[in-house]
Amino acid sequence: MQNDKINLSLIIPIGLMLFSFFFGAGNLIFPPVLGQMAGDNIGWGMLGFCLSGVGFPLLGVLAMAMKQSDNPDSIAMPMHPLYARAVTILCALAIGPLFAIPRTAAVSFDTGIHSLLPASCEAIGLPVYTVFFFVLTYFFSINPSKIIGHIGKFLSPMLLICLAVLVVCVFVNPTGSLKMPNPDFAASPFFRGFQEGYNTMDLLAAILFGSITIKAIEAQGITDKKVLTKLCSYAGLIAAFFLAIIY
């Protein structure tokens, strides 16, 4: 591949890959909960949610694109190497074993598998599903050179199709009408939505996901720094677009 060549066949899969990185369990459950709480103030609530839940993570990806480095420490290195390493470790722990990773398996099990199991299998169902879930995740992510193909060209389009079907079904067959907002969203829906956007934890993940995106781009043979910056920036914009539309 030519290092100075940018085309949609490369940009779109990278953007979808980054979108799927960000769109985890929290992204699936928090916006509907916000919508329920915001009621007929949903517009202002979602505007605040998208500012913190989409805009700030996008800035993180753009910052990594400007650094042109696949090392997440590089973004904070000018302050102090130890500080940079501490920030990276804390972000990795927060979006990894401490918070985000456990809920990815738990949410997908509760929303998609739990209702299909007989009562006698509920106790063993989650452990078995969790093992299967993370083995499959490991398979799709172990090879950086194939991660764009596995996630950007295969899993992300499937995810978007499933979400589109879900959204259409909700609009075609709604369960009710917009309700009155709860007190927090009645008084200040924008700022309450802004606070809720942090629950996705995407801001913490932005630097790490940005570095993974750069590494995946480099694995495609792209070494020109300017092209690297453009591809990573376009990927961030594509990911932000789909996140905002789905929210």
Side-chain angles (χ1 to χ4, degrees):
M1 178 179 295
Q2 297 179 6
N3 288 335
D4 60 349
K5 186 176 181 180
I6 297 180
N7 54 64
L8 291 178
S9 64
L10 183 60
I11 294 173
I12 292 177
I14 294 173
L16 293 180
M17 176 196 71
L18 184 57
F19 157 76
S20 67
F21 286 170
F22 280 121
F23 195 86
N27 307 77
L28 184 64
I29 60 177
F30 290 124
V33 171
L34 182 149
Q36 188 176 34
M37 294 189 300
D40 53 13
N41 279 340
I42 180 65
W44 283 108
M46 285 309 305
L47 183 61
F49 185 92
C50 286
L51 178 59
S52 59
V54 179
F56 288 171
L58 173 61
L59 291 179
V61 173
L62 294 178
M64 287 303 299
M66 295 176 66
K67 290 295 293 184
Q68 302 173 344
S69 172
D70 59 10
N71 180 5
D73 292 356
S74 63
I75 199 72
M77 195 68 73
M79 299 187 68
H80 194 280
L82 291 179
Y83 175 80
R85 178 53 54 91
V87 167
T88 300
I89 292 174
L90 290 174
C91 288
L93 289 174
I95 67 170
L98 296 185
F99 297 102
I101 284 180
R103 78 184 182 190
T104 56
V107 169
S108 57
F109 175 81
D110 284 341
T111 57
I113 305 297
H114 183 266
S115 61
L116 304 177
L117 297 177
S120 59
C121 297
E122 289 184 358
I124 193 64
L126 180 57
V128 172
Y129 174 80
T130 299
V131 172
F132 170 78
F133 179 90
F134 286 115
V135 167
L136 192 62
T137 302
Y138 179 82
F139 168 77
F140 279 112
S141 59
I142 186 59
N143 192 335
S145 65
K146 295 182 179 180
I147 195 169
I148 294 177
H150 285 162
I151 300 179
K153 296 181 180 179
F154 178 63
L155 291 179
S156 294
M158 290 180 58
L159 172 62
L160 288 172
I161 291 172
C162 292
L163 291 172
V165 171
L166 176 63
V167 170
V168 170
C169 289
V170 169
F171 276 102
V172 171
N173 187 27
T175 58
S177 57
L178 290 175
K179 306 297 183 181
M180 293 294 293
N182 71 9
D184 288 340
F185 279 92
S188 53
F190 174 83
F191 292 105
R192 180 59 179 169
F194 184 86
Q195 291 176 321
E196 291 292 324
Y198 285 105
N199 287 334
T200 65
M201 301 177 69
D202 284 345
L203 179 57
L204 296 177
I207 295 174
L208 298 175
F209 289 167
S211 66
I212 296 173
T213 301
I214 291 175
K215 187 171 294 185
I217 295 172
E218 291 174 337
Q220 303 302 307
I222 303 294
T223 58
D224 184 274
K225 294 298 185 180
K226 291 183 179 180
V227 176
L228 195 69
T229 297
K230 288 181 180 180
L231 280 174
C232 189
S233 300
Y234 292 154
L237 292 171
I238 291 173
F241 169 79
F242 280 109
L243 285 173
I245 290 296
I246 291 171
Y247 291 161

